[in-house]
Amino acid sequence: MDGRIHIFSLGDQTTSGMNFHDDVLLQYLRRNKYRIDQCIKQIQNFVLLKRKDSLMFERLPDEYLSLSCLENIVTVLPKRCPDGCTVLLSRIGKWNPKVLPFPHFKQLLVMFFLQLLRDPMTQITGFKGIHDVQGMSTQQLKYFTPQNAYLFYHAVINCFPGRYKAVHVIHENLPMKVIWNLMKPLLSEKMRNRMHFHSNGEELLDVFPSSVIPTKYGGKLQETFDILGFLRDAAKERDRYTIEGRPNIY
């Protein structure tokens, strides 16, 4: 992409001397609908965040990549929505901070999300998230401080080139209400309108085709995604690339 030189001639010292991979620039251009100023700002935010919290961007250590519990914390559903969106499924109540300490939990989320964003179709169509908060307690809630709530918001909205079409929270409980009260003031009206809360998983069938939703939530999907293999591949590749990015996955 020859436009790389012209784009970053508009930037400041934050990205001075950096030679970003063409595919990384394309991710941000797609995310921002080719609005150059917004694209530059988001990349600068990403660079500054990585400098400030570099540990969060390091690969998840090998001893954690063999934990079967990772499959229960976050994954991708094997089938996309009819509109092409990638569907993410997280189960925060399955996260045990004693097994996967919070710094490594952050590494897991960053590595998982940035690897997904290397898919060109996902860059264009975006994500829909399903967050099952069943079983969430003070064990997890104590890490969702105002500071950490802002960190997650800033990373996902202001730094990563993801397009978020809808977020569905199921099995809403008191800890989730506390988190929502922290997050709601940070979100734009557009994002607040894309948040949906459900008392149970079966209500997902009102907004998703049954073929996309796992059987445990009343759908017909029986396939599973090899999330451990996906994370191991992501970890290997993170050793080979710098902040300037990696090529897309086709």
Side-chain angles (χ1 to χ4, degrees):
M1 184 186 301
D2 294 334
R4 169 171 52 190
I5 297 174
H6 303 295
I7 288 173
F8 285 93
S9 66
L10 300 175
D12 62 10
Q13 294 303 310
T14 304
T15 54
S16 177
M18 291 185 175
N19 186 29
F20 289 90
H21 195 285
D22 290 351
D23 285 348
V24 172
L25 297 182
L26 188 55
Q27 288 180 29
Y28 281 94
L29 287 168
R30 285 170 169 163
R31 157 63 177 81
N32 292 286
K33 298 181 179 179
Y34 292 84
R35 292 186 285 259
I36 302 300
D37 288 347
Q38 293 182 24
C39 176
I40 292 172
K41 181 61 178 176
Q42 199 174 33
I43 292 177
Q44 290 170 347
N45 287 340
F46 178 85
V47 171
L48 290 172
L49 178 63
K50 188 168 183 180
R51 289 174 181 169
K52 182 178 180 180
D53 197 343
S54 59
L55 179 63
M56 185 170 70
F57 289 85
E58 292 182 7
R59 59 169 282 169
L60 189 65
D62 288 341
E63 59 264 33
Y64 295 105
L65 288 170
S66 61
L67 294 176
S68 59
C69 66
L70 297 186
E71 297 176 294
N72 296 320
I73 298 173
V74 64
T75 192
V76 186
L77 297 185
K79 293 188 177 181
R80 293 177 180 267
C81 287
D83 59 7
C85 282
T86 295
V87 184
L88 310 181
L89 172 63
S90 73
R91 289 174 285 192
I92 189 67
K94 300 292 186 179
W95 169 47
N96 184 345
K98 294 180 180 179
V99 176
L100 182 67
F102 184 63
H104 297 309
F105 175 71
K106 291 194 294 182
Q107 290 173 339
L108 167 67
L109 296 182
V110 170
M111 192 170 71
F112 169 75
F113 198 65
L114 293 182
Q115 185 76 348
L116 285 176
L117 282 171
R118 295 175 63 196
D119 184 325
M121 186 171 180
T122 299
Q123 295 166 18
I124 295 169
T125 59
F127 296 97
K128 291 180 181 178
I130 299 172
H131 299 290
D132 184 350
V133 297
Q134 188 172 40
M136 186 180 182
S137 67
T138 54
Q139 177 179 230
Q140 297 88 18
L141 181 61
K142 66 182 180 181
Y143 293 97
F144 285 86
T145 62
Q147 180 181 4
N148 286 332
Y150 179 78
L151 173 64
F152 285 125
Y153 157 79
H154 178 62
V156 170
I157 301 297
N158 297 330
C159 301
F160 298 163
R163 305 183 69 187
Y164 315 107
K165 301 299 185 177
V167 178
H168 296 269
V169 178
I170 58 177
H171 299 125
E172 185 184 8
N173 51 25
L174 181 58
M176 184 61 217
K177 290 179 180 178
V178 173
I179 293 174
W180 176 235
N181 286 334
L182 286 174
M183 297 298 297
K184 188 175 180 180
L186 300 174
L187 301 177
S188 66
E189 182 179 0
K190 180 179 179 180
M191 280 305 303
R192 289 197 298 269
N193 290 337
R194 293 183 177 184
M195 295 289 302
H196 309 278
F197 296 87
H198 309 277
S199 59
N200 58 67
E202 286 72 17
E203 292 182 7
L204 293 172
L205 298 177
D206 295 334
V207 288
F208 288 94
S210 60
S211 60
V212 173
I213 299 301
T215 53
K216 69 174 296 181
Y217 299 124
K220 298 179 180 178
L221 182 67
Q222 296 183 352
E223 303 168 49
T224 58
F225 182 79
D226 181 15
I227 187 62
L228 292 181
F230 177 85
L231 291 172
R232 291 188 189 108
D233 289 343
K236 290 177 183 177
E237 295 198 9
R238 289 190 73 79
D239 291 337
R240 300 203 303 267
Y241 297 96
T242 68
I243 193 173
E244 295 170 348
R246 297 167 288 173
N248 286 335
I249 300 174
Y250 292 92

